[in-house]
Amino acid sequence: MKYEFVIIGAGPCGLGAAYHLDKLGHADWRILERSDHVGGLAASYVDSNGFTWDVGGHVLFSHYDYFDRAVEESLGDAYYEHLRESWVRILGTWVPYPFQNNIRHLPDEALQECLHGLRSLSGDPSAAANFREWMESVFGAGIVKYFMEPYNSKVWGMPLESMSREWIGERVSVVDLSRIERNIAEQRDDVSWGPNNRFRFPKQGGTGAIFEGIVRPFKDRISFGCDVCAIDFGNKVVRCRNGEEYHYDILINSSPVDVLVEQSVDAPEPLRDAVSGLVHNSGLIVGLGFSGRRVDPKCWMYFPESSSPFYRVTNFYNYSPNNVPRGDVGRFFSLMCETTYSPHKPVDSATIIATTIAGLVNSGMIESGQANDIVSRYLIDIPYSYPVPSLTRDRALAVIHPYLEAQGVYSRGRFGAWQYEVGNMDHSFMQGVEVVDRIMTGATEQTFKGGNQK
Ligand SMILES: Cc1cc2nc3c(=O)[nH]c(=O)nc-3n(C[C@H](O)[C@H](O)[C@H](O)COP(=O)(O)OP(=O)(O)OC[C@H]3O[C@@H](n4cnc5c(N)ncnc54)[C@H](O)[C@@H]3O)c2cc1C
């Protein structure tokens, strides 16, 4: 089979490309998707007991009118809107996020250490050689010791000195000392910080419902069960495990770019070397469905301490009552717990459900007796969870993307582009939209950074 555009992956990025091609009236394209559903990492699942789960806490922070319109077309008014409220569990207390603005909640000794660190900042963040140095120069020793270091080690599962600082932007809230001191003096909290403090969540079907809706007009153009296993750049053909072959003029890839290169029959050695500079971590998402009623307005919570394996827990029943069986939040609630694993941070998937439950008890999220109220246990293993902004990344991408584009291969999305700072759902969707625009009209891509744009 031959198409002008072949798109690998029906996650947000591949769907963004397809959605835009469809809007432009272009018909000569096909999506190859290895699973039997759309959404990729932004899909949702209903377990056998009737609880709905996302692949970790997914919150929609859109930076784009175009994506907002696509979501509106998809959901209509079938969504709830929530005020984003996140907290840090630390030293037996709850501190609203962003942590540094709300350190007044800490026990006095830790508070003084954090303040001392903030008041004696000396390093220049713009001269920091890596993420760890950047944290120390921005937050000071106390906040690094109590929150930044342990939390980031848990999320990334990487030595923090092996990560760059260039990705940070709006992803990490930085420091305003006078505001922090005023918050302490006036006993005031900063909650719901950030680029937008409200988020929408589908009434039914979890986050994945957004993409189930977006795909409706062109679902018949997706070949499900097509697991691409080989690519021949020279002859412009991909092969799938089911034996099908697809020829293309242009390939838009949203599968992990390191795998794509490994699967190629004709990648030159420098390209193969370059992908060894890409680092990712993996994740285990544990969904626990409970019988009983829980009243806790928090959306999600961060856990920097070693008393739990997870770095984040979402009160998922709060996002929609339909995330629990029969929509009955009077009788059921659900917690979604995310743990990172990596070669630097091995985690045993055989015991993660048990250690997650113990961690919930240790951190005061549930009483020990509530472990008996668990009526559903759901585990999702994600081999590719976060594309790590490692010190080796940009050098690798400067080889990979120009080479691929010279072959008519545009690799975009969370693991296609491998740019964490633009790796959320909205970014990934728009990377698909924008690359189509670039190919069709010569427009410059705004979201994807890098490549050899003409
Ligand atoms: C734990 C976690 C929490 C997150 N939280 C948020 C959040 O709060 N807000 C937010 O906006 N984003 C969040 N994200 C990011 C969001 O999931 C991604 O931005 C988005 O899913 C990326 O879309 P994508 O299409 O680039 O890639 P993916 O979602 O990875 O989709 C890629 C698709 O390609 C398919 N595929 C892969 N290999 C092949 C192959 N060989 N052949 C055929 N098909 C293939 C896959 O099956 C998949 O469907 C989170 C991600 C994780 C892991």
Side-chain angles (χ1 to χ4, degrees):
M1 282 165 279
K2 159 86 178 46
Y3 293 92
E4 185 179 355
F5 289 85
V6 167
I7 301 168
I8 303 180
C13 176
L15 295 183
Y19 177 87
H20 199 50
L21 283 165
D22 191 52
K23 289 279 178 214
L24 294 174
H26 199 78
D28 191 6
W29 55 271
R30 187 138 199 100
I31 300 184
L32 313 180
E33 167 57 50
R34 71 173 166 201
S35 74
D36 62 358
H37 57 271
V38 303
L41 289 168
S44 303
Y45 302 88
V46 180
D47 71 20
S48 55
N49 299 300
F51 289 88
T52 297
W53 305 107
D54 279 2
V55 186
H58 272 70
V59 167
L60 201 56
F61 301 129
S62 176
H63 299 72
Y64 305 92
D65 291 342
Y66 188 98
F67 181 60
D68 287 342
R69 284 198 302 277
V71 173
E72 274 155 29
E73 274 175 35
S74 161
L75 295 180
D77 59 2
Y79 64 84
Y80 294 108
E81 196 168 75
H82 299 293
L83 188 62
R84 186 155 62 84
E85 203 188 301
S86 54
W87 295 71
V88 179
R89 181 65 170 168
I90 187 165
L91 298 171
T93 189
W94 290 104
V95 177
Y97 187 83
F99 181 79
Q100 63 273 13
N101 289 20
N102 299 301
I103 50 178
R104 71 179 190 85
H105 289 268
L106 293 174
D108 194 53
E109 193 184 329
L111 169 60
Q112 295 311 325
E113 241 179 292
C114 291
L115 270 179
H116 177 72
L118 284 167
R119 287 175 179 146
S120 48
L121 288 175
S122 60
D124 171 7
S126 65
N130 57 52
F131 184 36
R132 180 186 292 281
E133 280 187 20
W134 179 87
M135 284 182 337
E136 283 161 359
S137 61
V138 170
F139 295 101
I143 290 178
V144 170
K145 170 181 152 186
Y146 285 102
F147 180 62
M148 290 299 289
E149 206 278 337
Y151 176 70
N152 280 291
S153 299
K154 262 177 135 178
V155 176
W156 292 103
M158 295 290 154
L160 303 180
E161 52 281 359
S162 72
M163 292 173 60
S164 77
R165 63 173 167 79
E166 276 77 20
W167 56 279
I168 289 161
E170 67 176 34
R171 287 305 186 104
V172 178
S173 150
V174 291
V175 160
D176 175 347
L177 181 56
S178 56
R179 186 180 180 114
I180 294 170
E181 288 178 325
R182 200 180 56 213
N183 285 353
I184 294 170
E186 296 173 7
Q187 299 286 291
R188 207 178 64 169
D189 289 338
D190 274 342
V191 279
S192 305
W193 170 92
N196 34 36
N197 64 6
R198 291 191 165 273
F199 68 96
R200 283 176 285 177
F201 192 86
K203 282 187 176 169
Q204 294 276 356
T207 294
I210 297 169
F211 300 98
E212 295 284 352
I214 283 176
V215 82
R216 236 175 270 130
F218 52 83
K219 197 166 185 179
D220 57 338
R221 289 171 186 269
I222 303 179
S223 297
F224 290 102
C226 259
D227 186 0
V228 172
C229 62
I231 174 161
D232 182 337
F233 292 129
N235 290 310
K236 295 185 172 249
V237 57
V238 292
R239 289 187 197 92
C240 301
R241 265 180 231 287
N242 60 9
E244 290 175 1
E245 278 195 358
Y246 292 85
H247 292 258
Y248 58 83
D249 295 325
I250 289 164
L251 181 72
I252 297 178
N253 168 60
S254 68
S255 73
V257 69
D258 58 343
V259 177
L260 184 84
V261 169
E262 282 155 21
Q263 289 170 336
S264 114
V265 298
D266 54 353
E269 227 27 65
L271 184 63
R272 292 189 192 278
D273 286 348
V275 293
S276 65
L278 299 180
V279 181
H280 71 278
N281 67 19
S282 310
L284 293 168
I285 311 301
V286 174
L288 295 171
F290 292 76
S291 66
R293 181 176 167 79
R294 181 181 175 89
V295 180
D296 177 3
K298 300 180 193 76
C299 298
W300 69 91
M301 298 137 277
Y302 300 110
F303 294 83
E305 295 177 343
S306 59
S307 53
S308 60
F310 43 78
Y311 58 86
R312 180 164 63 174
V313 175
T314 300
N315 273 331
F316 205 43
Y317 64 100
N318 277 345
Y319 288 17
S320 166
N322 298 312
N323 289 344
V324 305
R326 298 181 289 285
D328 192 349
V329 282
R331 289 186 49 220
F332 299 103
F333 68 91
S334 54
L335 304 178
M336 199 161 56
C337 314
E338 298 165 42
T339 298
T340 291
Y341 69 97
S342 77
H344 299 275
K345 183 179 176 294
V347 175
D348 185 356
S349 62
T351 56
I352 186 65
I353 292 181
T355 55
T356 294
I357 295 168
L360 290 173
V361 174
N362 294 342
S363 51
M365 280 291 291
I366 59 170
E367 310 270 318
S368 60
Q370 282 181 289
N372 301 325
D373 301 336
I374 297 173
V375 293
S376 197
R377 296 166 166 78
Y378 195 69
L379 176 62
I380 307 175
D381 189 342
I382 30 177
Y384 280 74
S385 185
Y386 286 65
V388 178
S390 64
L391 290 172
T392 52
R393 180 194 77 172
D394 289 351
R395 213 167 1 171
L397 295 181
V399 174
I400 295 165
H401 288 300
Y403 176 85
L404 293 180
E405 293 188 12
Q407 313 298 313
V409 177
Y410 297 80
S411 195
R412 298 292 184 270
R414 187 171 177 90
F415 284 101
W418 213 285
Q419 295 171 344
Y420 170 74
E421 57 275 37
V422 286
N424 266 353
M425 292 184 282
D426 59 330
H427 301 118
S428 300
F429 184 88
M430 289 306 297
Q431 285 190 39
V433 171
E434 290 172 4
V435 76
V436 165
D437 244 356
R438 173 176 160 206
I439 295 162
M440 304 287 278
T441 71
T444 302
E445 293 176 78
Q446 301 297 324
T447 305
F448 170 72
K449 308 287 176 228
N452 193 12
Q453 301 205 16
K454 296 184 191 91

